[in-house]
Amino acid sequence: MRASRSVASVSRVSLRAPFQAALCALALSAALLVGGTHAHADVRKADLVGGSTVEALGLSVGQCPDVAADYALLVDSEGRVLFERAGSAPAQIASITKVMTAIVALEHGDPSRPVEVSPNAAAVGESSAGLRAGDRMSFDAALTALLVPSGNDAATAIAEAVGAQILEREPRLAADPQTAFVAKMNQKARELGCEDTLYENPHGLDDDAFRGNLHSTARDQAKVAAHAMSLDAVRRIVGAGDTSITVERDGGSVSIELRTTDALMSYDDRVIGIKTGETLLAGPSFMGAAVHEGVELYAIVLHSSSAQQRFDDTRALFDWGYEHYRAYALVNAERTASGTYRSGAQAPLVARLTFPDRAHGEVDLTVSDPTASLRVFNLEGNISQHAVLKDGLTSVRAGDVVGTLEFRQRNKVVAALDLIACDDVPEPGIWERLGTWFSGLLSGGADKERPTVEIWNRTPIIKSNVGRSA
């Protein structure tokens, strides 16, 4: 079995001697007993953290995830890459291919039409869901047979069935249903922003009769993972673990027990899927998803050193990623705003708006949600804040939204709160307008009417211990 293998299987690409494998297993057990600590043995200077190399950041070995895979990526649900090792380098992905198979099936298939297993599908071999030629099952059962035990038979049956439906709508797309289905896989990859991905079949086998140029990158597969986990059917199936399906066979109904290849879910409660893969070319690989304290992360591990190590790599990435997330309060004001807005309430003074063209043109600003917070990745650096005022402000009333207070990390807006006026500032009177006009003449036409804002809110330093000077 090569396209996908359970954790109990022996890796065909592992170069470790039997006694070395035993030592590794013993070390893994000890690590689990002490809470999943890592030896931090395999850290490379070219690994990227937040876009900078480990060497450039001056990170110690203990500050980096211990990952044996040749290609690895950790990304959050916003698409922010937290850790990367050769993330843009092309590599084989084996049965991780089946995640795109599920995506295309859900997008182009009719869920009310059953899937029948052809002799060709039943004969693919390698990783199998135990389907036989002539078996008929529901669309959902076929997806389950695809994703849970990594069935190459199910992948082919789905591609043939859905590919036929695609050709009903686009008869000139391809000469046969499976080719049409694979064409849609590559089309979807481009739509998702994949930059170096080529699918050649729906299951991921890459040798003998299936030898070719099937490949992708860790970065591309992270995009595939994020999209797949946005689909309810995929999320439900990959997160359910072992299950069973019912198929029609020889005039009756047969129940088939399906064992998940995702062993990581059995000992890491954060993990919610999604797909293993393994061939001689791809090595043991895994696409994983996890949720912890509201933060969803996706890990891609390609060409690890053993079937078990791919899960250890993934867990190390998740441990490291969640370790560096921090709850961050956005509002840290030392004073209370004055005015009629929320009279009697403790409205924090976050900024002060000034209209320079009038004698009493100052007004305190507060925010819509003083308790707002977010979880930040501390290795991305500190938070800065910027006030953005609405255009054309000439007066305000208490409670008016006058703009937003933006919070940025690495120049990317990570949060924004409404800025609210705490009192009234009326339009300028005639004498104030004349004074502003005359002052403008004396100063060479400078704009004296534009309002300004001074920020009083503090943004605490994020303690990240990054770099030699930290």
Side-chain angles (χ1 to χ4, degrees):
M1 193 181 299
R2 293 198 305 269
S4 184
R5 185 177 302 182
S6 71
V7 66
S9 302
V10 178
S11 170
R12 293 178 58 182
V13 300
S14 175
L15 301 179
R16 302 171 187 259
F19 74 91
Q20 291 175 307
L23 286 176
C24 288
L26 181 61
L28 169 67
S29 300
L32 292 177
L33 288 174
V34 297
T37 57
H38 302 285
H40 298 290
D42 193 354
V43 177
R44 306 176 189 181
K45 292 181 179 180
D47 290 346
L48 299 177
V49 173
S52 299
T53 65
V54 166
E55 184 176 33
L57 290 171
L59 294 177
S60 68
V61 170
Q63 290 175 305
C64 304
D66 177 12
V67 177
D70 291 329
Y71 315 89
L73 196 85
L74 182 68
V75 60
D76 67 13
S77 57
E78 306 268 323
R80 177 172 50 184
V81 177
L82 309 180
F83 175 86
E84 181 174 3
R85 174 179 293 171
S88 297
Q92 285 76 23
I93 61 172
S95 283
I96 292 175
T97 294
K98 295 183 175 82
V99 178
M100 180 60 80
T101 301
I103 290 171
V104 172
L106 286 164
E107 185 168 319
H108 295 279
D110 182 349
S112 68
R113 293 170 66 169
V115 173
E116 183 167 341
V117 180
S118 69
N120 178 56
V124 173
E126 305 295 348
S127 179
S128 173
L131 303 177
R132 298 180 184 176
D135 284 353
R136 284 169 57 90
M137 72 203 84
S138 69
F139 182 77
D140 189 73
L143 285 177
T144 304
L146 170 78
L147 294 172
V148 174
S150 194
N152 295 332
D153 44 7
T156 305
I158 289 171
E160 291 175 346
V162 176
Q165 296 173 36
I166 292 170
L167 288 179
E168 291 173 5
R169 300 185 291 269
E170 302 177 59
R172 297 184 179 180
L173 179 62
D176 62 88
Q178 188 168 168
T179 302
F181 187 90
V182 173
K184 291 299 183 182
M185 292 173 69
N186 287 306
Q187 177 182 312
K188 189 63 181 181
R190 293 189 294 271
E191 290 176 5
L192 293 178
C194 296
E195 298 180 356
D196 193 1
T197 293
L198 178 64
Y199 294 105
E200 295 183 327
N201 59 57
H203 41 66
L205 289 171
D206 54 22
D207 62 356
D208 298 334
F210 302 106
R211 185 178 299 278
N213 193 32
L214 186 155
H215 69 273
S216 186
T217 68
R219 273 186 171 264
D220 284 358
Q221 288 305 301
K223 297 172 183 177
V224 174
H227 182 72
M229 294 304 285
S230 74
L231 304 175
D232 291 341
V234 172
R235 198 177 186 93
R236 169 178 52 81
I237 291 171
V238 300
D242 297 343
T243 188
S244 63
I245 58 171
T246 300
V247 303
E248 297 177 16
R249 177 181 295 170
D250 299 331
S253 294
V254 176
S255 178
I256 300 177
E257 298 296 320
L258 303 176
R259 296 279 187 174
T260 181
T261 60
D262 181 1
L264 188 55
M265 284 196 300
S266 67
Y267 58 91
D268 192 329
D269 292 339
R270 302 167 303 185
V271 176
I272 54 175
I274 60 178
K275 191 70 195 71
T276 56
E278 184 176 349
T279 64
L280 286 173
L281 290 176
S285 303
F286 187 55
M287 170 192 286
V291 175
H292 180 61
E293 295 183 343
V295 176
E296 186 154 316
L297 299 180
Y298 310 118
I300 308 298
V301 169
L302 305 176
H303 211 287
S304 192
S305 58
S306 71
Q308 177 59 45
Q309 187 61 46
R310 61 183 167 184
F311 298 127
D312 297 344
D313 287 349
T314 303
R315 194 181 193 193
L317 287 171
F318 288 148
D319 285 347
W320 177 85
Y322 287 122
E323 175 188 346
H324 289 287
Y325 269 93
R326 299 284 187 272
Y328 189 88
L330 296 176
V331 180
N332 301 276
E334 297 176 344
R335 298 176 59 181
T336 300
S338 61
T340 59
Y341 175 70
R342 288 185 179 172
S343 180
Q346 295 293 310
L349 172 62
V350 299
R352 182 163 289 160
L353 177 66
T354 300
F355 292 89
D357 59 348
R358 64 206 78 174
H360 302 287
E362 291 188 345
V363 59
D364 288 352
L365 303 180
T366 189
V367 290
S368 50
D369 183 6
T371 65
S373 66
L374 74 158
R375 297 192 68 80
V376 297
F377 190 68
N378 66 351
L379 297 183
E380 286 282 278
N382 291 311
I383 300 290
S384 62
Q385 56 186 341
H386 306 266
V388 181
L389 294 179
K390 287 185 174 181
D391 292 332
L393 278 179
T394 58
S395 66
V396 297
R397 296 181 64 85
D400 283 355
V401 175
V402 301
T404 58
L405 186 60
E406 292 183 347
F407 298 87
R408 302 177 185 176
Q409 191 177 33
R410 281 188 176 251
N411 293 319
K412 178 182 178 181
V413 176
V414 293
L417 298 175
D418 286 341
L419 286 171
I420 299 175
C422 292
D423 219 334
D424 303 338
V425 177
E427 295 281 353
I430 184 62
W431 295 112
E432 289 172 320
R433 291 179 186 273
L434 287 173
T436 301
W437 174 79
F438 185 70
S439 177
L441 288 179
L442 294 178
S443 62
D447 187 359
K448 294 291 186 178
E449 297 184 6
R450 189 181 300 277
T452 61
V453 63
E454 179 181 8
I455 298 176
W456 290 52
N457 186 51
R458 295 183 301 105
T459 50
I461 298 297
I462 297 175
K463 182 175 176 59
S464 60
N465 297 322
V466 178
R468 297 179 179 89
S469 61

